[in-house]
Amino acid sequence: MRNAILLLKHVGYCNVLKSIWICSFKESPLNKIFEKMIIEEEKKKEEKDEKHLADLYECFISLSFDFPQGLILMCVSCLLKVALKKEEDEETQKEVEMALLALSCIYSHYEIEQKQYLNEIKEIIQYHQEHHNLTRLAYLYAWEFLIFRLDTDKSLNEVIVNELYFGREARRELKELSKCVDWKRKEERRGEKEGKEEYILIEGLQYESVELISSITQIYRAATDNREDIDMLKGGAVDAVLEGLQRHTFKGKMAYESL
């Protein structure tokens, strides 16, 4: 059973990376077995197997994308413990990445109070900003987990912008990633699967683009009557952004969704 759990955990991990949703899994007998195993492990007062529990949570949530509200707080607590590990060896980095990926699958309709996660997720993000201990995917999913909470808790705006410097970090990450992606691929290679860097870049843009495009539009509209006074317009910044959006850098669907 433990080997089966590890295998299915990696299947769930790949499903998230490839955006494959298995809607029928939550109705399967295996889904119910996982839920029963989690409850039994959580009930243990002594010698609770935290590693086994984390594997169960990661497997369960990344495959079913549906989770009983009663287990959410225990799940978040367990996975944050894994994600707080700071060792930089490859095995630990993979554990942290998978824990954060599972956390990012906990969408905004789940009720989670700030005290259940905020200090921990801030520590994870801030420690990475100083020490760069996370993989790029892990860092992306740490941000996703936090940003999903914005839908139900607007007070996080202050933390995201002024304490964790989302704008600065997003700009830096996108700049770094853009160096890794081969923008000048030959036409015959366009049908090939995207590399990990391209995936992270596109995934990052998906949750940044809505606010980004909205902000650019608002600035542009506000500036129409004050062209002489707006340095951004003098420098052609808006035109440059609009031109960039029209390039066939990403797949048509991505450009469409961003716009």
Side-chain angles (χ1 to χ4, degrees), residues 171-214:
R171 183 171 65 250
R172 183 186 59 75
E173 281 291 299
L174 292 173
K175 186 176 179 181
E176 287 299 310
L177 284 165
S178 68
K179 295 174 185 175
C180 302
V181 177
D182 181 7
W183 301 108
K184 298 179 179 178
R185 288 182 302 172
K186 294 181 180 179
E187 195 64 35
E188 59 266 22
R189 290 184 58 203
R190 291 193 181 277
E192 292 181 7
K193 293 180 181 178
E194 293 150 359
K196 183 174 276 192
E197 287 82 6
E198 281 182 86
Y199 165 79
I200 302 170
L201 183 55
I202 292 172
E203 188 78 358
L205 281 170
Q206 282 178 332
Y207 71 81
E208 290 161 23
S209 60
V210 175
E211 291 301 322
L212 179 65
I213 301 299
S214 171

Side-chain angles (χ1 to χ4, degrees), residues 17 29 41-42 58 69 82 85 90-91 100 106-107 131 150 159 165 207 223 231 233 236 247 258:
L17 290 186
E41 193 66 43
E42 286 285 9
E58 289 168 18
Q69 181 67 42
V82 178
K85 292 181 179 180
E90 191 174 339
E91 185 179 344
L100 287 167
I106 301 174
Y107 299 128
H131 300 281
L150 261 177
V159 175
Y165 311 109
Y207 71 81
D231 290 333
L233 289 177
R247 291 179 188 157
S258 296

Side-chain angles (χ1 to χ4, degrees), residues 76-111:
V76 170
S77 173
C78 177
L79 293 179
L80 282 174
K81 283 180 189 174
V82 178
L84 279 163
K85 292 181 179 180
K86 295 181 173 66
E87 295 86 353
E88 294 187 34
D89 60 278
E90 191 174 339
E91 185 179 344
T92 302
Q93 282 195 324
K94 193 66 177 178
E95 280 182 33
V96 170
E97 185 179 289
M98 294 186 89
L100 287 167
L101 176 140
L103 282 168
S104 76
C105 295
I106 301 174
Y107 299 128
S108 56
H109 61 278
Y110 291 106
E111 296 177 14

Side-chain angles (χ1 to χ4, degrees), residues 100-185:
L100 287 167
L101 176 140
L103 282 168
S104 76
C105 295
I106 301 174
Y107 299 128
S108 56
H109 61 278
Y110 291 106
E111 296 177 14
I112 313 173
E113 294 181 12
Q114 279 192 19
K115 64 182 180 182
Q116 305 291 341
Y117 68 87
L118 188 55
N119 288 340
E120 291 85 351
I121 206 72
K122 277 173 61 178
E123 182 181 338
I124 289 165
I125 290 173
Q126 287 172 333
Y127 188 85
H128 174 75
Q129 288 173 350
E130 187 174 347
H131 300 281
H132 306 287
N133 64 307
L134 298 177
T135 64
R136 281 203 170 107
L137 271 177
Y139 193 46
L140 169 72
Y141 287 126
W143 274 111
E144 280 196 0
F145 171 77
L146 185 58
I147 286 171
F148 282 146
R149 313 277 76 79
L150 261 177
D151 285 351
T152 52
D153 188 353
K154 299 301 180 188
S155 68
L156 287 171
N157 268 319
E158 179 70 21
V159 175
I160 288 171
V161 175
N162 296 324
E163 290 186 48
L164 299 176
Y165 311 109
F166 175 75
R168 180 197 71 187
E169 288 298 293
R171 183 171 65 250
R172 183 186 59 75
E173 281 291 299
L174 292 173
K175 186 176 179 181
E176 287 299 310
L177 284 165
S178 68
K179 295 174 185 175
C180 302
V181 177
D182 181 7
W183 301 108
K184 298 179 179 178
R185 288 182 302 172

